Amino acid sequence: MLSERELAFIAIHKDSYPSVFKFVCRRVESVDVAEEIAADVYRIVWQKWSDDSRPDLPYLLTVARNLVGNAYRSRDRRLALQEKLRTTAVQRFGDDSENVAVQDALESLREKDRDILQMAYWDGLGTADIAKVLQCSESAAKVRLHRARTAFRKQLPAGANSTTQKMGV
């Protein structure tokens, strides 16, 4: 049986989720990011909510606005890092090098695909460890890694395949 607090939280979620989701959706680049941020709004509300007051919509939207700002800052840091890595590769190996092609291919991937490839190749994690990080089964991690590798290969120009074969991608 659910507690009064849990029932109240469910009611708050049911009443306000469409408004919170629309608010976030108008401010971010994808529905996936909006869903994640909207879910985080309710996680934060659950953690900070005291039983003596019911969070209203302006409070929920303030939390959402703060999370959207965090997402922008995170995205900007990621893009700056990718640009720095590409610039370093160009300076070190030349603009037409396979290393630059690899950077460009990684940059064009979805964040989830890029993240799993970085875990496998930069961090040296095996599929069992990747599964733990992603909180999924090992077989799901293998499938995700396979799909990310396939997407990566599709983004590479034809001449860059020798580098990826050396990497095992």
Side-chain angles (χ1 to χ4, degrees), residues 6-128:
E6 291 168 329
L7 291 171
F9 181 79
I10 290 168
I12 291 167
H13 185 274
K14 181 181 176 189
D15 292 344
S16 61
Y17 184 83
S19 297
V20 170
F21 179 73
K22 286 180 206 171
F23 178 88
V24 173
C25 229
R26 287 191 308 268
R27 289 161 174 79
V28 296
E29 64 274 5
S30 75
V31 173
D32 290 339
V33 172
E35 287 173 348
E36 187 175 327
I37 290 173
D40 280 346
V41 167
Y42 291 96
R43 178 188 52 80
I44 289 169
V45 166
W46 176 259
Q47 290 171 340
K48 295 188 176 198
W49 182 29
S50 63
D51 291 333
D52 56 334
S53 69
R54 179 183 168 107
D56 58 2
L57 186 59
Y59 174 77
L60 297 171
L61 296 181
T62 299
V63 172
R65 185 175 57 93
N66 291 339
L67 290 173
V68 167
N70 291 345
Y72 282 145
R73 284 185 290 280
S74 180
R75 183 201 62 203
D76 291 347
R77 282 190 302 270
R78 180 181 43 80
L79 292 173
L81 175 61
Q82 288 172 341
E83 183 58 33
K84 183 177 180 180
L85 291 171
R86 188 182 193 288
T87 301
T88 301
V90 167
Q91 290 171 347
R92 197 165 176 202
F93 303 107
D95 202 24
D96 294 330
S97 76
E98 291 178 349
N99 291 305
V100 174
V102 167
Q103 287 298 325
D104 290 344
L106 279 172
E107 193 173 318
S108 66
L109 294 176
R110 294 180 314 164
E111 186 174 350
K112 291 178 180 184
D113 290 339
R114 183 175 43 252
D115 193 36
I116 198 165
L117 288 173
Q118 288 172 336
M119 280 189 264
Y121 295 100
W122 289 13
D123 301 322
L125 299 180
T127 52

